[in-house]
Amino acid sequence: MLTINLAVLLAVVVFFRLKRRTQARSRVEERNTALIVLVLGILIAPTPVGQGIGDFLKQLAQSIAQSTQ
């Protein structure tokens, strides 16, 4: 259960970091935001929510691939 709570906290942090204008961010801030997003993805992936998102994206990609053929 700790993983989900930490993931929610990181999601809130990412939301507020990305809300800032691009011109106001330094390279260090952008690198730190990318690292936080990566950790968030790693925390969400093994959870049921992460699995559901992965399944949805897989189905979406398959339907797009079938429609282009």
Side-chain angles (χ1 to χ4, degrees), residues 59-69:
Q59 290 176 356
L60 181 65
Q62 288 174 349
S63 66
I64 290 172
Q66 289 176 355
S67 67
T68 59
Q69 291 179 354

Side-chain angles (χ1 to χ4, degrees), residues 1-14 36 39-45 47 49:
M1 191 57 83
L2 178 64
T3 303
I4 293 172
N5 293 337
L6 186 58
V8 170
L9 175 65
L10 283 177
V12 170
V13 170
V14 167
I36 292 170
V39 170
L40 177 63
I42 291 170
L43 289 175
I44 288 177
T47 64
V49 172

Side-chain angles (χ1 to χ4, degrees), residues 21-55:
R21 292 185 348 184
T22 304
Q23 294 84 4
R25 291 187 223 146
S26 67
R27 288 181 189 248
V28 174
E29 286 183 69
E30 288 181 358
R31 185 183 67 219
N32 289 341
T33 301
L35 181 65
I36 292 170
V37 169
L38 178 65
V39 170
L40 177 63
I42 291 170
L43 289 175
I44 288 177
T47 64
V49 172
Q51 295 296 321
I53 292 169
D55 292 340

